[in-house]
Amino acid sequence: MLNVPNHVAIIMDGNGRWAKKRNMPRLEGHKKGAITARSIIKKSGSLGVRWLTLYAFSTENWARPDKEKKGLFSLMVKSLSEELPLLLKEGIRFRMIGDKKDLPEGLIKIISKAESLTKGNRDLNLSVCVNYSGKNEIVKAVNKMLNDQYHLEPGSKSSSQGEFTFPKIDDLDFKKNMHSSDLPEVDLLLRTGGEKRISNFLLWDIAYSELFFTETLWPEFSEDEFCDILSSFNLRDRRYGNV
Ligand code: IPE
Ligand code: IPE
Ligand code: MG
């Protein structure tokens, strides 16, 4: 029996190259990628993974052509609407991590609907990172702490309380102020598509993750390869600095 990681995070990369190889528009790669996402979500649930976090759109992805972004957001609306019954049936709690502001209204609406309808689900916690930046998430947590505890607004020069002593903050306090505050540390971080980089994904929670990179492009990534990766994860010796 597979001893599955508690939290798997995936950088779903390679949709564009998959389409290009077939002389198809990039959006076709994203469409096929959405089908892969569905199968990996289902598989994760059936294997007993408790937390699955998927990277769908980074703040850097705003640099892409308008046509691709528009297509991607429409695809997200369509997929999320179609998959909502699956989320409910399989006991999957859905949430989005990232900045909702700047996303199209229709997308914000369906995200909020999926978040509230699945709030009570406990079998698999699915987080999808959209308009997400790991650096921004950390900086926002700092601003939140200053604002909540000292009523300091970004840009303000002095505190209404005058002199103050800055508290000692440990990493647990810090984490509480992050958007992803209730996500546990990532055990397994996987990137498809061959690139060996993090691209501003979950910087804080991947501090001690086991990293896996595969050349397979996301639209071609299979449940079998996913299971192989989970098996190799089991063989990793996680020493956490110990001997
Ligand atoms: C990942 O696939 C999906 C998003 C970033 C939205 P890409 O679109 O980056 O695919 P490649 O890397 O160009 O092949
Ligand atoms: C990372 O992929 C972001 C997502 C998968 C959503 P990119 O394709 O945008 O990353 P880079 O450009 O290769 O770093
Ligand atoms: Mg890419």
Side-chain angles (χ1 to χ4, degrees):
M1 175 64 188
L2 204 60
N3 181 14
V4 291
N6 184 47
H7 187 178
V8 176
I10 307 181
I11 303 173
M12 310 181 288
D13 196 24
N15 295 349
R17 278 163 285 164
W18 180 89
K20 195 170 175 214
K21 274 200 329 202
R22 288 162 181 76
N23 280 320
M24 289 155 102
R26 291 178 61 85
L27 195 59
E28 292 305 312
H30 296 312
K31 284 186 189 160
K32 186 77 170 50
I35 297 171
T36 304
R38 182 184 206 273
S39 82
I40 296 303
I41 293 166
K42 270 193 90 170
K43 189 73 191 169
S44 300
S46 68
L47 288 170
V49 173
R50 300 301 310 281
W51 296 83
L52 177 68
T53 303
L54 303 176
Y55 203 7
F57 190 87
S58 70
T59 52
E60 287 78 13
N61 290 145
W62 288 108
R64 296 191 177 200
D66 284 347
K67 194 173 159 217
E68 181 172 352
K69 287 183 284 189
K70 223 173 143 221
L72 264 171
F73 295 140
S74 304
L75 179 63
M76 288 179 200
V77 172
K78 185 171 176 283
S79 309
L80 194 49
S81 317
E82 286 174 2
E83 303 307 347
L84 200 46
L86 174 86
L87 300 179
L88 292 166
K89 181 172 155 265
E90 307 271 330
I92 300 172
R93 178 174 183 180
F94 172 87
R95 78 187 92 191
M96 185 211 117
I97 298 177
D99 208 339
K100 278 193 186 138
K101 156 176 98 41
D102 302 329
L103 295 178
E105 216 169 287
L107 181 55
I108 300 176
K109 254 196 185 149
I110 184 73
I111 286 173
S112 305
K113 184 176 170 189
E115 285 181 332
S116 76
L117 286 179
T118 64
K119 210 160 64 193
N121 288 350
R122 289 289 173 270
D123 291 343
L124 170 66
N125 289 281
L126 169 66
S127 308
V128 179
C129 295
V130 186
N131 194 15
Y132 178 84
S133 151
K135 278 190 177 179
N136 283 357
E137 203 193 352
I138 290 173
V139 171
K140 271 194 183 154
V142 174
N143 282 313
K144 187 174 180 311
M145 284 191 293
L146 290 173
N147 190 267
D148 290 356
Q149 294 176 32
Y150 297 108
H151 313 292
L152 284 171
E153 293 291 345
S156 68
K157 290 216 168 59
S158 61
S159 155
S160 51
Q161 295 165 266
E163 291 273 313
F164 64 87
T165 319
F166 205 80
K168 199 161 182 280
I169 291 162
D170 64 18
D171 52 4
L172 283 178
D173 298 323
F174 186 77
K175 169 83 181 168
K176 279 187 210 141
N177 288 281
M178 293 181 71
H179 190 170
S180 57
S181 56
D182 57 353
L183 263 66
E185 295 202 339
V186 173
D187 298 293
L188 190 169
L189 173 70
L190 163 67
R191 182 172 187 143
T192 61
E195 311 293 1
K196 314 273 183 308
R197 56 178 170 255
I198 302 298
S199 301
N200 207 1
F201 195 30
L202 304 170
L203 300 176
W204 184 268
D205 287 315
I206 61 170
Y208 244 113
S209 306
E210 295 297 325
L211 308 180
F212 287 81
F213 298 96
T214 170
E215 293 296 319
T216 309
L217 304 171
W218 179 249
E220 293 175 328
F221 187 68
S222 65
E223 290 182 11
D224 283 350
E225 187 172 359
F226 186 50
C227 288
D228 288 347
I229 290 170
L230 296 186
S231 303
S232 344
F233 170 84
N234 269 306
L235 304 174
R236 297 267 181 109
D237 182 15
R238 304 186 82 189
R239 290 187 293 280
Y240 295 100
N242 210 331
V243 288

